[in-house]
Amino acid sequence: MSGNHHRAHASDDAPGAARTGDAAGTSTPVEPAAGTGTGTGTDTRTAPRARSDALRKWAARVVLPLSIALWLLSLRSVPLDRMRDLGLLQVLPPLFWVAAGLLTLGFCLALSDRRTHGAWLTGYVLTLIALLHATPTLLYPTLRYSWAWKHLAVIDAMIRHGGEVPNAEKFSVYNDWPGFFQLHALFLRTTGLESSVGYAAWTPPFANLLLLAPLLLLYRSVTRDRRLVWGAVWIFYSCSWVGQDYFAPQSFAFLLFMTVVALLFRQLRSSALPRPDPRRRDGWPPGLFVAVVVIVAAIVVSHPLTPLMLISAMALLSLPRRSRRLALPVLIAAVVLTAAWDATVARSYISVNISNLIDSLTQPDKNVSSGLAALGNAAPGQILLSWVDRGLSAAVAVLALAGLLVRRWTRRTSLPLLAAAPLPLLAVNAYGGEMLFRAYLFALPPAAFLVAALVLPPPGGRRPVARTLAVYPLLLAMFGALVFGYYGKEALNQYTLKEVAAARYVIEHAPPGSTFVTLTEDVPDLDLDYEKHNRVQLAYQETDELQELVRDPLEGVEGYVYGATEENPAYIVLSRAQDMNLYVTGALPADLPERLQSVLSGAPGFTKVYDNGDATVYRYVTPPPD
């Protein structure tokens, strides 16, 4: 008894930490093999235990293909047209949820057995990624989410102009950080493809698949306990509800950010992975450091926020002596490259917005709360979704903090510093109301490991199988909370082919200089040729203008289109996704589209030129004076 207690205590202090050489390495205690026990009665206990182990082993192997089959079967007939407050949550059939529950159970069974081959654990995680992120792609007829369509338009414009796009106006920020778009433009020119729309829809599952490599490298650099590594990976994917994995610079830059962080942890003397040359002093091998600087440069030219997150992370990781020789050179490179880029290419954006940035420094409370918008006018289901999202985020933070306090060895891993890195930026800038969500995204990889360290049994602990299986309800609850945030707005994120056709009609028929008026941004492909047209989104105007629109829809619209001519007409586009946006978010009264369409049908100067059931287009030319 005392021997087992001593071993469990030691592993809790540092789970299998090697006492010499790699300070944070893991030497997993070896469990007695079946049939090798000592003492009276051992032989009578090993046979049932062996049968139990074999049953658990085969159950884990059967559940994986079974859950995949059930998931694919569940997607055969999903009534997407019935999505309302809860998005996909209310239309996915029970078979989908059975598949998710079985998948989680099978993963716990596989994780509870040290002899489970890594291929099975990999298979479970890949299936989780597919189930979560490939489901919308398999169900929808075209690319989801309005911002993904905007990014397609930017790539097209940069190809047509050979680089910087003139007259970009609100899209000019993409001229200042063009890395992501130029990369895809190069790919399209090389392959001869006309557009990225064909593969952009697969970005969420593909981006999460690529993210698995740096996550595994990061976690394996901290521990050799395979159960803890894969448990942390599963928790990360089960709690990543923010949805910044679509076709966007953020998903690309976040992958590069995690690659830099993982490579740094890999080089630490305390890494649980053996270093290429144990005799080498802490520091970057020259060739690898050049590669890291190239990755940092790619981050700097692709996204305005991620370089700041990287600088904050490297600054904190430079504090401990164990990581200073590695983090400080990356910090210097990130600061120099970011400053040089902002002072030259991005100078136009920085100079215009510098006053807003300075004002944000004096309003940390507003920055923190900016993402917590009032939801009084939102659909009832969206209020529930918001609280579930906040609850999951709070639970991850509380469990991660508890893991830091209970598992004392995690304080020597530098993961707590990495988790705290987004906090300074959270206080200094609102980032358009999204900083709270972005901070959660960047803090989640280390936080997920701290949660896993808390809830999973340490090596050498008592009853590891039972304790691992006991985590099943928690993992299931995480998955359930995740899908609220990830699937809850799909009623407005998905588009029909008719909506795409309506936008294409407008683009093909509108002469340069035309004005496009929509209620929200939810019209796919309407930003194509954005440098040639003016775009007005009524829901995002000033408060007094919104009040005028609600009071008198016709007068509210005429204020933006009056003066349109035959050479430069205006087009008003009403569509299904816009209606759903107003209902779900409450940005404007849900009956406004119907009222607007009613008054436009008989108003002077407005002519209905297109109607396919999912979208209606009106053309406006200012009538001559009486």
Side-chain angles (χ1 to χ4, degrees):
M1 178 71 71
S2 60
N4 289 335
H5 175 74
H6 174 74
R7 184 173 61 181
H9 177 76
S11 64
D12 182 61
D13 182 52
R19 302 307 178 191
T20 59
D22 296 337
T26 304
S27 56
T28 304
V30 179
E31 295 181 351
T36 61
T38 59
T40 305
T42 299
D43 292 339
T44 62
R45 289 194 300 266
T46 54
R49 178 177 178 180
R51 287 194 296 269
S52 175
D53 290 346
L55 179 63
R56 189 171 68 253
K57 171 184 176 181
W58 285 106
R61 295 186 176 185
V62 169
V63 166
L64 179 58
L66 177 60
S67 61
I68 294 174
L70 293 178
W71 166 55
L72 294 176
L73 287 173
S74 73
L75 304 182
R76 290 183 303 171
S77 57
V78 179
L80 297 177
D81 57 333
R82 298 182 186 176
M83 287 194 291
R84 299 291 290 174
D85 299 27
L86 300 177
L88 274 177
L89 293 178
Q90 61 196 114
V91 297
L92 286 171
L95 206 57
F96 176 89
W97 306 109
V98 172
L102 280 177
L103 184 70
T104 307
L105 176 61
F107 175 75
C108 289
L109 290 172
L111 201 65
S112 66
D113 189 351
R114 293 186 182 280
R115 293 164 294 185
T116 299
H117 196 280
W120 286 99
L121 294 172
T122 304
Y124 271 102
V125 170
L126 294 181
T127 304
L128 175 67
I129 293 172
L131 186 145
L132 282 172
H133 304 291
T135 292
T137 303
L138 293 173
L139 289 177
Y140 300 165
T142 189
L143 179 65
R144 66 194 277 258
Y145 197 43
S146 62
W147 282 91
W149 285 96
K150 292 178 186 290
H151 297 152
L152 293 180
V154 174
I155 295 171
D156 176 78
M158 287 188 175
I159 291 176
R160 285 187 285 105
H161 291 280
E164 183 174 340
V165 182
N167 305 316
E169 297 185 355
K170 293 182 179 180
F171 283 74
S172 61
V173 65
Y174 299 124
N175 288 333
D176 296 336
W177 283 276
F180 170 82
F181 306 101
Q182 291 289 6
L183 178 64
H184 285 277
L186 176 63
F187 177 76
L188 293 180
R189 287 192 293 263
T190 303
T191 59
L193 295 175
E194 293 184 1
S195 171
S196 303
V197 67
Y199 64 84
W202 289 96
T203 298
F206 188 65
N208 282 281
L209 173 63
L210 293 179
L211 193 58
L212 180 59
L215 284 175
L216 287 174
L217 182 58
L218 174 64
Y219 297 153
R220 287 172 174 169
S221 298
V222 175
T223 180
R224 293 177 187 163
D225 184 357
R226 189 175 60 170
R227 181 185 301 162
L228 186 52
V229 168
W230 285 103
V233 167
W234 187 276
I235 290 173
F236 171 84
Y237 285 116
S238 296
C239 296
S240 184
W241 64 267
V242 177
Q244 289 296 324
D245 52 10
Y246 65 100
F247 188 71
Q250 176 66 98
S251 62
F252 174 68
F254 182 67
L255 173 64
L256 298 181
F257 170 90
M258 287 303 305
T259 301
V260 171
V261 169
L263 290 175
L264 185 150
F265 273 74
R266 170 67 177 85
Q267 296 299 313
L268 287 174
R269 182 181 296 274
S270 59
S271 173
L273 292 173
R275 296 194 303 173
D277 184 1
R279 297 168 295 179
R280 176 178 53 81
R281 298 182 61 188
D282 286 339
W284 291 100
L288 183 58
F289 182 69
V290 171
V292 168
V293 172
V294 171
I295 296 174
V296 173
I299 295 174
V300 169
V301 304
S302 298
H303 197 245
L305 175 63
T306 306
L308 303 182
M309 288 289 186
L310 181 64
I311 289 172
S312 182
M314 293 301 114
L316 289 183
L317 291 174
S318 297
L319 297 178
R321 181 178 300 176
R322 62 178 176 269
S323 56
R324 186 174 302 156
R325 287 178 177 268
L326 293 164
L328 192 57
V330 181
L331 172 62
I332 294 173
V335 170
V336 170
L337 291 173
T338 302
W341 188 263
D342 291 350
T344 54
V345 179
R347 182 178 179 181
S348 58
Y349 178 87
I350 297 297
S351 60
V352 171
N353 293 275
I354 190 65
S355 59
N356 294 332
L357 296 174
I358 294 175
D359 290 343
S360 296
L361 295 175
T362 62
Q363 299 175 326
D365 55 335
K366 184 178 179 180
N367 297 330
V368 172
S369 62
S370 62
L372 305 176
L375 298 173
N377 296 325
Q382 289 299 299
I383 299 176
L384 172 63
L385 293 179
S386 176
W387 284 109
V388 172
D389 294 342
R390 298 174 189 183
L392 177 59
S393 303
V396 169
V398 170
L399 291 174
L401 181 59
L404 181 64
L405 296 176
V406 174
R407 309 301 187 199
R408 292 174 295 174
W409 62 271
T410 60
R411 305 172 201 175
R412 301 193 297 270
T413 64
S414 295
L415 287 177
L417 294 174
L418 187 61
L423 296 181
L425 293 178
L426 180 62
V428 302
N429 195 278
Y431 201 66
E434 293 190 10
M435 185 60 80
L436 189 62
F437 308 134
R438 303 299 176 95
Y440 176 82
L441 172 68
F442 280 86
L444 184 58
F449 185 90
L450 296 176
V451 174
L454 174 69
V455 301
L456 292 174
R462 298 179 181 179
R463 304 182 63 187
V465 173
R467 291 184 61 181
T468 301
L469 293 177
V471 179
Y472 173 64
L474 175 63
L475 298 185
L476 202 60
M478 287 178 174
F479 178 91
L482 166 76
V483 293
F484 271 85
Y486 199 76
Y487 287 163
K489 293 187 183 295
E490 290 306 295
L492 58 98
N493 286 340
Q494 71 100 10
Y495 302 110
T496 66
L497 293 176
K498 289 183 177 181
E499 291 175 279
V500 177
R504 296 280 171 83
Y505 171 87
V506 175
I507 294 297
E508 291 172 1
H509 290 79
S514 300
T515 298
F516 300 160
V517 178
T518 59
L519 290 169
T520 69
E521 62 189 7
D522 304 287
V523 183
D525 222 20
L526 195 60
D527 289 309
L528 195 66
D529 296 342
Y530 58 86
E531 78 279 15
K532 300 178 182 179
H533 308 293
N534 303 313
R535 178 81 185 271
V536 177
Q537 300 171 12
L538 298 176
Y540 314 122
Q541 304 304 315
E542 298 295 332
T543 302
D544 56 343
E545 296 171 333
L546 293 179
Q547 292 173 345
E548 176 66 21
L549 177 67
V550 173
R551 184 187 63 81
D552 188 337
L554 179 59
E555 186 173 340
V557 170
E558 284 181 332
Y560 294 99
V561 300
Y562 187 80
T565 65
E566 288 289 346
E567 293 75 19
N568 303 117
Y571 292 84
I572 296 87
V573 184
L574 306 176
S575 62
R576 180 208 60 83
Q578 294 183 81
D579 298 352
M580 192 58 63
N581 185 311
L582 298 186
Y583 167 71
V584 168
T585 66
L588 289 171
D591 66 342
L592 181 61
E594 183 179 355
R595 293 171 55 206
L596 183 58
Q597 187 162 345
S598 176
V599 297
L600 292 182
S601 296
F606 292 92
T607 304
K608 182 187 292 187
V609 294
Y610 189 89
D611 188 353
N612 62 17
D614 284 351
T616 304
V617 179
Y618 292 87
R619 184 176 184 269
Y620 176 79
V621 174
T622 305
D626 296 334

mmCIF file of all heavy atoms in Angstrom, residues 69-101:
data_model
loop_
_atom_site.group_PDB
_atom_site.id
_atom_site.type_symbol
_atom_site.label_atom_id
_atom_site.label_comp_id
_atom_site.label_asym_id
_atom_site.label_seq_id
_atom_site.Cartn_x
_atom_site.Cartn_y
_atom_site.Cartn_z
ATOM 1 N N ALA A 69 -19.849 4.980 -39.463
ATOM 2 C CA ALA A 69 -20.976 4.547 -40.295
ATOM 3 C C ALA A 69 -22.265 5.249 -39.875
ATOM 4 O O ALA A 69 -23.040 5.714 -40.728
ATOM 5 C CB ALA A 69 -21.132 3.031 -40.195
ATOM 6 N N LEU A 70 -22.507 5.331 -38.577
ATOM 7 C CA LEU A 70 -23.725 5.996 -38.096
ATOM 8 C C LEU A 70 -23.715 7.479 -38.451
ATOM 9 O O LEU A 70 -24.759 8.055 -38.805
ATOM 10 C CB LEU A 70 -23.853 5.814 -36.584
ATOM 11 C CG LEU A 70 -24.100 4.386 -36.090
ATOM 12 C CD1 LEU A 70 -24.156 4.355 -34.565
ATOM 13 C CD2 LEU A 70 -25.383 3.821 -36.688
ATOM 14 N N TRP A 71 -22.554 8.113 -38.347
ATOM 15 C CA TRP A 71 -22.454 9.548 -38.698
ATOM 16 C C TRP A 71 -22.801 9.769 -40.165
ATOM 17 O O TRP A 71 -23.604 10.653 -40.492
ATOM 18 C CB TRP A 71 -21.040 10.038 -38.395
ATOM 19 C CG TRP A 71 -20.722 11.363 -39.006
ATOM 20 C CD1 TRP A 71 -21.417 12.524 -38.859
ATOM 21 C CD2 TRP A 71 -19.637 11.651 -39.907
ATOM 22 N NE1 TRP A 71 -20.820 13.541 -39.597
ATOM 23 C CE2 TRP A 71 -19.733 13.030 -40.241
ATOM 24 C CE3 TRP A 71 -18.598 10.904 -40.435
ATOM 25 C CZ2 TRP A 71 -18.824 13.639 -41.100
ATOM 26 C CZ3 TRP A 71 -17.688 11.516 -41.282
ATOM 27 C CH2 TRP A 71 -17.801 12.869 -41.602
ATOM 28 N N LEU A 72 -22.205 8.971 -41.042
ATOM 29 C CA LEU A 72 -22.475 9.144 -42.475
ATOM 30 C C LEU A 72 -23.934 8.840 -42.807
ATOM 31 O O LEU A 72 -24.556 9.524 -43.632
ATOM 32 C CB LEU A 72 -21.544 8.254 -43.292
ATOM 33 C CG LEU A 72 -20.055 8.621 -43.223
ATOM 34 C CD1 LEU A 72 -19.208 7.613 -43.982
ATOM 35 C CD2 LEU A 72 -19.819 10.022 -43.766
ATOM 36 N N LEU A 73 -24.507 7.834 -42.155
ATOM 37 C CA LEU A 73 -25.913 7.521 -42.382
ATOM 38 C C LEU A 73 -26.817 8.652 -41.918
ATOM 39 O O LEU A 73 -27.867 8.917 -42.517
ATOM 40 C CB LEU A 73 -26.285 6.221 -41.655
ATOM 41 C CG LEU A 73 -25.749 4.922 -42.265
ATOM 42 C CD1 LEU A 73 -26.057 3.742 -41.349
ATOM 43 C CD2 LEU A 73 -26.351 4.683 -43.646
ATOM 44 N N SER A 74 -26.416 9.338 -40.848
ATOM 45 C CA SER A 74 -27.251 10.420 -40.306
ATOM 46 C C SER A 74 -27.335 11.615 -41.243
ATOM 47 O O SER A 74 -28.245 12.444 -41.109
ATOM 48 C CB SER A 74 -26.700 10.868 -38.953
ATOM 49 O OG SER A 74 -25.495 11.612 -39.097
ATOM 50 N N LEU A 75 -26.427 11.725 -42.204
ATOM 51 C CA LEU A 75 -26.401 12.882 -43.091
ATOM 52 C C LEU A 75 -27.200 12.667 -44.376
ATOM 53 O O LEU A 75 -27.225 13.556 -45.237
ATOM 54 C CB LEU A 75 -24.946 13.220 -43.452
ATOM 55 C CG LEU A 75 -23.987 13.480 -42.298
ATOM 56 C CD1 LEU A 75 -22.614 13.856 -42.823
ATOM 57 C CD2 LEU A 75 -24.514 14.558 -41.368
ATOM 58 N N ARG A 76 -27.862 11.530 -44.495
ATOM 59 C CA ARG A 76 -28.558 11.240 -45.748
ATOM 60 C C ARG A 76 -29.711 12.196 -46.010
ATOM 61 O O ARG A 76 -29.947 12.608 -47.137
ATOM 62 C CB ARG A 76 -29.067 9.795 -45.732
ATOM 63 C CG ARG A 76 -27.976 8.737 -45.811
ATOM 64 C CD ARG A 76 -28.586 7.353 -45.860
ATOM 65 N NE ARG A 76 -29.443 7.103 -44.698
ATOM 66 C CZ ARG A 76 -30.238 6.053 -44.561
ATOM 67 N NH1 ARG A 76 -30.312 5.163 -45.552
ATOM 68 N NH2 ARG A 76 -30.963 5.893 -43.477
ATOM 69 N N SER A 77 -30.461 12.559 -44.997
ATOM 70 C CA SER A 77 -31.623 13.442 -45.193
ATOM 71 C C SER A 77 -31.745 14.373 -43.990
ATOM 72 O O SER A 77 -32.329 14.019 -42.968
ATOM 73 C CB SER A 77 -32.900 12.620 -45.360
ATOM 74 O OG SER A 77 -33.096 11.771 -44.247
ATOM 75 N N VAL A 78 -31.168 15.560 -44.128
ATOM 76 C CA VAL A 78 -31.231 16.574 -43.079
ATOM 77 C C VAL A 78 -32.037 17.756 -43.620
ATOM 78 O O VAL A 78 -31.642 18.357 -44.624
ATOM 79 C CB VAL A 78 -29.823 17.034 -42.661
ATOM 80 C CG1 VAL A 78 -29.908 18.112 -41.594
ATOM 81 C CG2 VAL A 78 -29.012 15.850 -42.143
ATOM 82 N N PRO A 79 -33.162 18.104 -42.990
ATOM 83 C CA PRO A 79 -34.012 19.190 -43.501
ATOM 84 C C PRO A 79 -33.425 20.569 -43.201
ATOM 85 O O PRO A 79 -33.816 21.230 -42.233
ATOM 86 C CB PRO A 79 -35.344 18.962 -42.769
ATOM 87 C CG PRO A 79 -34.957 18.301 -41.482
ATOM 88 C CD PRO A 79 -33.755 17.460 -41.802
ATOM 89 N N LEU A 80 -32.498 21.017 -44.014
ATOM 90 C CA LEU A 80 -31.815 22.277 -43.758
ATOM 91 C C LEU A 80 -32.773 23.461 -43.755
ATOM 92 O O LEU A 80 -32.523 24.462 -43.069
ATOM 93 C CB LEU A 80 -30.727 22.497 -44.814
ATOM 94 C CG LEU A 80 -29.594 21.467 -44.848
ATOM 95 C CD1 LEU A 80 -28.640 21.780 -45.991
ATOM 96 C CD2 LEU A 80 -28.845 21.433 -43.519
ATOM 97 N N ASP A 81 -33.874 23.372 -44.496
ATOM 98 C CA ASP A 81 -34.801 24.489 -44.567
ATOM 99 C C ASP A 81 -35.562 24.710 -43.268
ATOM 100 O O ASP A 81 -36.255 25.723 -43.120
ATOM 101 C CB ASP A 81 -35.787 24.278 -45.721
ATOM 102 C CG ASP A 81 -36.556 22.975 -45.600
ATOM 103 O OD1 ASP A 81 -36.030 22.030 -44.978
ATOM 104 O OD2 ASP A 81 -37.682 22.895 -46.116
ATOM 105 N N ARG A 82 -35.439 23.794 -42.320
ATOM 106 C CA ARG A 82 -36.128 23.931 -41.034
ATOM 107 C C ARG A 82 -35.246 24.566 -39.955
ATOM 108 O O ARG A 82 -35.663 24.686 -38.810
ATOM 109 C CB ARG A 82 -36.616 22.568 -40.550
ATOM 110 C CG ARG A 82 -37.637 21.898 -41.477
ATOM 111 C CD ARG A 82 -38.089 20.574 -40.893
ATOM 112 N NE ARG A 82 -38.966 19.859 -41.828
ATOM 113 C CZ ARG A 82 -39.451 18.643 -41.598
ATOM 114 N NH1 ARG A 82 -39.130 17.995 -40.464
ATOM 115 N NH2 ARG A 82 -40.227 18.058 -42.493
ATOM 116 N N MET A 83 -34.027 24.945 -40.302
ATOM 117 C CA MET A 83 -33.153 25.553 -39.308
ATOM 118 C C MET A 83 -33.708 26.900 -38.866
ATOM 119 O O MET A 83 -34.109 27.723 -39.692
ATOM 120 C CB MET A 83 -31.729 25.724 -39.863
ATOM 121 C CG MET A 83 -30.949 24.445 -39.989
ATOM 122 S SD MET A 83 -29.170 24.713 -40.250
ATOM 123 C CE MET A 83 -29.163 25.389 -41.898
ATOM 124 N N ARG A 84 -33.678 27.122 -37.545
ATOM 125 C CA ARG A 84 -34.137 28.396 -36.999
ATOM 126 C C ARG A 84 -33.146 28.859 -35.924
ATOM 127 O O ARG A 84 -31.966 28.995 -36.177
ATOM 128 C CB ARG A 84 -35.559 28.248 -36.414
ATOM 129 C CG ARG A 84 -36.610 27.830 -37.421
ATOM 130 C CD ARG A 84 -36.904 28.912 -38.434
ATOM 131 N NE ARG A 84 -37.600 30.054 -37.848
ATOM 132 C CZ ARG A 84 -37.882 31.172 -38.475
ATOM 133 N NH1 ARG A 84 -37.491 31.314 -39.740
ATOM 134 N NH2 ARG A 84 -38.517 32.155 -37.883
ATOM 135 N N ASP A 85 -33.652 29.062 -34.690
ATOM 136 C CA ASP A 85 -32.836 29.627 -33.614
ATOM 137 C C ASP A 85 -31.546 28.856 -33.352
ATOM 138 O O ASP A 85 -30.507 29.456 -33.086
ATOM 139 C CB ASP A 85 -33.622 29.645 -32.293
ATOM 140 C CG ASP A 85 -34.867 30.479 -32.363
ATOM 141 O OD1 ASP A 85 -35.409 30.633 -33.465
ATOM 142 O OD2 ASP A 85 -35.304 30.973 -31.318
ATOM 143 N N LEU A 86 -31.627 27.539 -33.398
ATOM 144 C CA LEU A 86 -30.506 26.696 -32.982
ATOM 145 C C LEU A 86 -29.717 26.119 -34.149
ATOM 146 O O LEU A 86 -28.884 25.225 -33.955
ATOM 147 C CB LEU A 86 -31.013 25.563 -32.085
ATOM 148 C CG LEU A 86 -31.709 26.005 -30.799
ATOM 149 C CD1 LEU A 86 -32.224 24.798 -30.020
ATOM 150 C CD2 LEU A 86 -30.765 26.824 -29.929
ATOM 151 N N GLY A 87 -29.968 26.595 -35.345
ATOM 152 C CA GLY A 87 -29.174 26.165 -36.479
ATOM 153 C C GLY A 87 -29.244 24.670 -36.715
ATOM 154 O O GLY A 87 -30.317 24.055 -36.676
ATOM 155 N N LEU A 88 -28.099 24.058 -36.943
ATOM 156 C CA LEU A 88 -28.050 22.629 -37.228
ATOM 157 C C LEU A 88 -28.488 21.772 -36.044
ATOM 158 O O LEU A 88 -28.894 20.621 -36.223
ATOM 159 C CB LEU A 88 -26.624 22.219 -37.632
ATOM 160 C CG LEU A 88 -26.238 22.366 -39.100
ATOM 161 C CD1 LEU A 88 -24.781 21.993 -39.300
ATOM 162 C CD2 LEU A 88 -27.127 21.513 -39.996
ATOM 163 N N LEU A 89 -28.411 22.332 -34.839
ATOM 164 C CA LEU A 89 -28.756 21.543 -33.659
ATOM 165 C C LEU A 89 -30.169 20.994 -33.734
ATOM 166 O O LEU A 89 -30.449 19.892 -33.240
ATOM 167 C CB LEU A 89 -28.613 22.394 -32.394
ATOM 168 C CG LEU A 89 -27.202 22.827 -32.001
ATOM 169 C CD1 LEU A 89 -27.244 23.697 -30.768
ATOM 170 C CD2 LEU A 89 -26.324 21.618 -31.749
ATOM 171 N N GLN A 90 -31.083 21.750 -34.325
ATOM 172 C CA GLN A 90 -32.480 21.335 -34.308
ATOM 173 C C GLN A 90 -32.880 20.512 -35.524
ATOM 174 O O GLN A 90 -34.036 20.075 -35.598
ATOM 175 C CB GLN A 90 -33.389 22.558 -34.196
ATOM 176 C CG GLN A 90 -33.281 23.556 -35.319
ATOM 177 C CD GLN A 90 -33.896 24.893 -34.954
ATOM 178 O OE1 GLN A 90 -33.218 25.894 -34.840
ATOM 179 N NE2 GLN A 90 -35.190 24.907 -34.740
ATOM 180 N N VAL A 91 -31.962 20.268 -36.460
ATOM 181 C CA VAL A 91 -32.328 19.472 -37.635
ATOM 182 C C VAL A 91 -31.471 18.219 -37.791
ATOM 183 O O VAL A 91 -31.832 17.329 -38.575
ATOM 184 C CB VAL A 91 -32.244 20.319 -38.921
ATOM 185 C CG1 VAL A 91 -33.238 21.468 -38.864
ATOM 186 C CG2 VAL A 91 -30.830 20.838 -39.165
ATOM 187 N N LEU A 92 -30.340 18.134 -37.106
ATOM 188 C CA LEU A 92 -29.543 16.911 -37.187
ATOM 189 C C LEU A 92 -30.310 15.769 -36.540
ATOM 190 O O LEU A 92 -30.853 15.905 -35.443
ATOM 191 C CB LEU A 92 -28.195 17.100 -36.491
ATOM 192 C CG LEU A 92 -27.176 17.958 -37.244
ATOM 193 C CD1 LEU A 92 -25.975 18.253 -36.356
ATOM 194 C CD2 LEU A 92 -26.737 17.299 -38.544
ATOM 195 N N PRO A 93 -30.368 14.615 -37.179
ATOM 196 C CA PRO A 93 -31.173 13.495 -36.657
ATOM 197 C C PRO A 93 -30.539 12.865 -35.422
ATOM 198 O O PRO A 93 -29.343 13.045 -35.164
ATOM 199 C CB PRO A 93 -31.201 12.516 -37.834
ATOM 200 C CG PRO A 93 -29.972 12.824 -38.612
ATOM 201 C CD PRO A 93 -29.731 14.293 -38.467
ATOM 202 N N PRO A 94 -31.325 12.098 -34.650
ATOM 203 C CA PRO A 94 -30.791 11.442 -33.446
ATOM 204 C C PRO A 94 -29.574 10.561 -33.741
ATOM 205 O O PRO A 94 -28.698 10.413 -32.886
ATOM 206 C CB PRO A 94 -31.980 10.611 -32.946
ATOM 207 C CG PRO A 94 -33.191 11.326 -33.467
ATOM 208 C CD PRO A 94 -32.773 11.887 -34.792
ATOM 209 N N LEU A 95 -29.518 9.993 -34.939
ATOM 210 C CA LEU A 95 -28.404 9.109 -35.275
ATOM 211 C C LEU A 95 -27.075 9.849 -35.214
ATOM 212 O O LEU A 95 -26.040 9.259 -34.871
ATOM 213 C CB LEU A 95 -28.621 8.530 -36.679
ATOM 214 C CG LEU A 95 -27.951 7.181 -36.986
ATOM 215 C CD1 LEU A 95 -28.406 6.124 -36.000
ATOM 216 C CD2 LEU A 95 -28.293 6.759 -38.418
ATOM 217 N N PHE A 96 -27.068 11.145 -35.538
ATOM 218 C CA PHE A 96 -25.839 11.937 -35.460
ATOM 219 C C PHE A 96 -25.345 12.003 -34.025
ATOM 220 O O PHE A 96 -24.141 11.840 -33.753
ATOM 221 C CB PHE A 96 -26.097 13.346 -35.999
ATOM 222 C CG PHE A 96 -24.911 14.274 -35.872
ATOM 223 C CD1 PHE A 96 -23.965 14.344 -36.875
ATOM 224 C CD2 PHE A 96 -24.745 15.074 -34.743
ATOM 225 C CE1 PHE A 96 -22.868 15.197 -36.759
ATOM 226 C CE2 PHE A 96 -23.656 15.928 -34.619
ATOM 227 C CZ PHE A 96 -22.717 15.990 -35.640
ATOM 228 N N TRP A 97 -26.266 12.231 -33.099
ATOM 229 C CA TRP A 97 -25.870 12.362 -31.696
ATOM 230 C C TRP A 97 -25.474 11.015 -31.108
ATOM 231 O O TRP A 97 -24.600 10.951 -30.236
ATOM 232 C CB TRP A 97 -27.011 12.987 -30.902
ATOM 233 C CG TRP A 97 -27.465 14.286 -31.506
ATOM 234 C CD1 TRP A 97 -28.636 14.536 -32.154
ATOM 235 C CD2 TRP A 97 -26.722 15.509 -31.564
ATOM 236 N NE1 TRP A 97 -28.680 15.829 -32.604
ATOM 237 C CE2 TRP A 97 -27.517 16.448 -32.258
ATOM 238 C CE3 TRP A 97 -25.464 15.897 -31.102
ATOM 239 C CZ2 TRP A 97 -27.103 17.751 -32.495
ATOM 240 C CZ3 TRP A 97 -25.045 17.194 -31.339
ATOM 241 C CH2 TRP A 97 -25.846 18.104 -32.023
ATOM 242 N N VAL A 98 -26.094 9.940 -31.571
ATOM 243 C CA VAL A 98 -25.671 8.602 -31.158
ATOM 244 C C VAL A 98 -24.245 8.346 -31.612
ATOM 245 O O VAL A 98 -23.415 7.814 -30.851
ATOM 246 C CB VAL A 98 -26.628 7.530 -31.723
ATOM 247 C CG1 VAL A 98 -26.079 6.127 -31.464
ATOM 248 C CG2 VAL A 98 -28.018 7.678 -31.121
ATOM 249 N N ALA A 99 -23.940 8.731 -32.847
ATOM 250 C CA ALA A 99 -22.581 8.554 -33.369
ATOM 251 C C ALA A 99 -21.576 9.344 -32.545
ATOM 252 O O ALA A 99 -20.486 8.842 -32.223
ATOM 253 C CB ALA A 99 -22.517 8.992 -34.833
ATOM 254 N N ALA A 100 -21.928 10.591 -32.179
ATOM 255 C CA ALA A 100 -21.019 11.404 -31.374
ATOM 256 C C ALA A 100 -20.807 10.804 -29.991
ATOM 257 O O ALA A 100 -19.682 10.789 -29.474
ATOM 258 C CB ALA A 100 -21.569 12.827 -31.254
ATOM 259 N N GLY A 101 -21.887 10.306 -29.369
ATOM 260 C CA GLY A 101 -21.751 9.689 -28.053
ATOM 261 C C GLY A 101 -20.911 8.429 -28.090
ATOM 262 O O GLY A 101 -20.071 8.195 -27.208
#
